[in-house]
Amino acid sequence: MKTRYIGNFLKVSSLGLGCMGMTHAYGAPISSGQIRNLISKAIDLGYTFFDTAEIYGTASNPHLNEEELGHALAPYRDRIVIGTKFGIHFDMNSSLVNKPLIPDARKDTILKSIDASLKRLRTDHIDIYYQHRQDPHIPVEEVAMVMEALIKDGKILSWGLSEVDAETIRRAHAVCPVSAVQNRYSMMARHYESVFSTLEELNIALVAFSPMANGVLSGAYNANSQFDKNTDYRSSMPQFTEESMKANRTLFSLLNDFANRKNATMGQISLAWMLCKKPWIIPIPGTTKVERLKENAKADEICLSNAEVSAIDKALSEMKMSAVFGGSKIKS
Ligand SMILES: NC(=O)c1ccc[n+]([C@@H]2O[C@H](COP(=O)([O-])OP(=O)(O)OC[C@H]3O[C@@H](n4cnc5c(N)ncnc54)[C@H](OP(=O)(O)O)[C@@H]3O)[C@@H](O)[C@H]2O)c1
C-alpha cells in the first residue's frame, strides 16, 4: 500500500484499519484467533495504521479491543502506528444498543487512562492519542496541556481530537500542536468539509472514521439485511432501513457507475473518492473479514481525477439521500 503522513513525522499506510467492529458495535466480538489472523493478514497487505479506543469492548469486558490488539499487534509493534482514544465511557444504565456517551476529560482520569491503555496495548508509547469527544466541563486547552506533558514523558508521540469543529481545533493547536483530527467523513456525511481549510492551514491530517457510512456504501447490504438488536448498532442506524435503501438508489447507482468505469467495487470508490480528494485524508475502514481487508486496501490504486472528484461532490450535493447515523448521544 502507498503511504501518507500524519503531521510531519508519522508515516502510515494510506488506509488504516479501524478495529472497533472486531469487538464492539457490530454484533458479538470475533474470537482472539480471528483477530490475530486478521491483523497478520493486514500487515501482509501493507496496513501499518491501527485504530482502537479504550471503550471498544463489551458490557463484561469494556476494554476488550485494546487487550486483543495488545496481543495481536505485539509482533509488529516496531513497524506500526497505533491510535487510541480517551475521555468517554458509556452510560451502562441505558437500554439503547448504542448507549449514550459520558465525557470525562479530567486530568486524573486521562492519566489513569493512558497508563491502562499502554498496559493493555503492551507498549511503552501510543503514536497518536485522541480525545474521543469534547467534555463540556473541561476546556480543550486544559486537555492540550495534559497532552503536552504526556508527550514530554514519552508516553504519547502525538495527539488528536475526534468530532471537533474548526474553533476547537485552533484552540487546542495553539496550546499543543495537534497532528490529526478523527472525524466522521463519508459520501453520506460531508459536514466536516467545513474544517478542511483549517486542517490544511495547520498541517493536520483528517483520519476519516466510518468512511463507508458504516458499510452501506459498499452496496453489500439491502432491505433484508438483519442485525442483532442487542449488540449491533446497525439495527438502529437510519441508513439501513428499507425506506433508506430505496431513498439511496441514486447514490448507489452513482457508486455503481464509477465502479464499472474504474473496474472497482462500490466500496473502493467510496474510499478512493476521499483518498483522491486530499493527500492528508486517511480513511480507516473497519472490517472483520480478510477478503474485505484486501478489497479496501486496493482503493489506494484507484485514480479519480480532480474533475471526477468534483463531479461526484456535485452529484452528492444535489441528490436526495436518507439520514445517516451521526453518533451516539452525549450525556453531560
Ligand atoms: N472517533 C470515533 O468516534 C469513531 C466512531 C466510529 C468508528 N471509529 C473508528 O473508525 C473505524 C471505521 O468505522 P466504522 O467501522 O464505524 O465504519 P465503516 O468503516 O464505514 O464500516 C464498517 C462496516 O462496513 C463493513 N465493511 C467494511 N468493508 C466492507 C466491504 N469492502 N464490503 C462490504 N462491507 C464492508 C464492515 O462489516 P464486516 O466486518 O462484516 O466486513 C463493517 O460493518 C472503526 O473501526 C473505529 O476504529 C471512530
Side-chain angles (χ1 to χ4, degrees):
M1 225 190 297
K2 294 178 194 131
T3 52
R4 295 190 168 203
Y5 275 93
I6 290 181
N8 287 327
F9 67 99
L10 275 185
K11 193 177 177 187
V12 294
S13 48
S14 48
L15 294 108
L17 179 57
C19 299
M20 177 186 75
M22 297 176 197
T23 60
H24 177 82
Y26 294 125
I30 58 171
S31 71
S32 304
Q34 286 170 309
I35 293 175
R36 283 180 212 189
N37 180 47
L38 208 55
I39 296 294
S40 124
K41 294 289 182 334
I43 297 284
D44 292 346
L45 288 163
Y47 287 90
T48 59
F49 183 31
F50 296 85
D51 187 74
T52 181
E54 65 175 346
I55 57 155
Y56 293 162
T58 60
S60 59
N61 186 351
H63 310 300
L64 181 60
N65 201 277
E66 284 190 339
E67 279 176 21
E68 291 285 8
L69 288 184
H71 288 285
L73 291 172
Y76 321 105
R77 181 63 189 104
D78 57 347
R79 43 191 165 116
I80 56 157
V81 169
I82 301 178
T84 192
K85 315 183 194 85
F86 65 92
I88 45 173
H89 56 272
F90 292 107
D91 172 11
M92 294 311 284
N93 294 321
S94 164
S95 58
L96 293 173
V97 59
N98 58 319
K99 305 208 179 310
L101 303 169
I102 302 172
D104 181 356
R106 288 172 295 176
K107 185 177 177 182
D108 283 357
T109 308
I110 300 175
L111 296 182
K112 281 185 200 135
S113 283
I114 182 65
D115 287 342
S117 287
L118 288 170
K119 200 168 170 202
R120 286 189 292 265
L121 286 164
R122 294 164 178 259
T123 183
D124 61 0
H125 71 277
I126 301 297
D127 302 279
I128 176 134
Y129 199 40
Y130 304 93
Q131 183 179 10
H132 213 150
R133 291 289 183 276
Q134 287 303 291
D135 181 340
H137 305 296
I138 312 279
V140 74
E141 289 83 354
E142 277 183 32
V143 176
M145 282 192 275
V146 179
M147 295 301 116
E148 192 174 35
L150 292 181
I151 292 171
K152 276 198 189 116
D153 282 354
K155 290 187 177 181
I156 68 172
L157 298 189
S158 64
W159 81 292
L161 300 151
S162 181
E163 291 291 76
V164 279
D165 60 16
E167 194 210 326
T168 309
I169 297 167
R170 282 185 189 283
R171 283 172 46 204
H173 192 78
V175 177
C176 178
V178 172
S179 294
V181 161
Q182 184 173 134
N183 280 356
R184 183 182 306 277
Y185 186 53
S186 74
M187 285 182 166
M188 293 188 80
R190 294 174 57 209
H191 45 284
Y192 281 122
E193 287 179 0
S194 61
V195 304
F196 279 15
S197 57
T198 306
L199 297 180
E200 203 142 39
E201 179 195 326
L202 303 177
N203 187 27
I204 296 173
L206 174 68
V207 174
F209 81 75
S210 301
M212 303 170 90
N214 311 97
V216 80
L217 296 174
S218 67
Y221 303 89
N222 60 40
N224 298 320
S225 300
Q226 297 289 319
F227 304 108
D228 179 55
K229 287 196 164 39
N230 297 315
T231 55
D232 198 323
Y233 286 17
R234 289 172 295 185
S235 59
S236 69
M237 286 183 185
Q239 70 268 37
F240 286 97
T241 64
E242 191 173 348
E243 305 79 71
S244 295
M245 290 292 171
K246 281 186 202 142
N248 292 326
R249 273 186 195 143
T250 318
L251 171 59
F252 296 145
S253 27
L254 174 80
L255 279 162
N256 202 31
D257 286 351
F258 269 92
N260 289 336
R261 250 194 259 176
K262 300 283 172 180
N263 197 19
T265 65
M266 289 166 61
Q268 286 170 337
I269 296 296
S270 73
L271 298 168
W273 161 77
M274 65 177 78
L275 285 166
C276 294
K277 189 176 277 205
K278 300 284 181 191
W280 41 263
I281 297 182
I282 299 145
I284 49 165
T287 184
T288 51
K289 304 188 171 59
V290 173
E291 279 317 305
R292 290 175 176 177
L293 263 186
K294 285 187 198 159
E295 179 186 333
N296 298 346
K298 287 202 174 296
D300 88 336
E301 293 172 16
I302 297 163
C303 180
L304 294 171
S305 66
N306 289 343
E308 285 172 322
V309 171
S310 300
I312 294 175
D313 281 348
K314 185 165 182 291
L316 292 172
S317 301
E318 289 169 358
M319 74 174 60
K320 287 208 170 104
M321 58 174 87
S322 76
V324 64
F325 182 62
S328 302
K329 214 174 113 190
I330 313 271
K331 219 175 143 179
S332 62

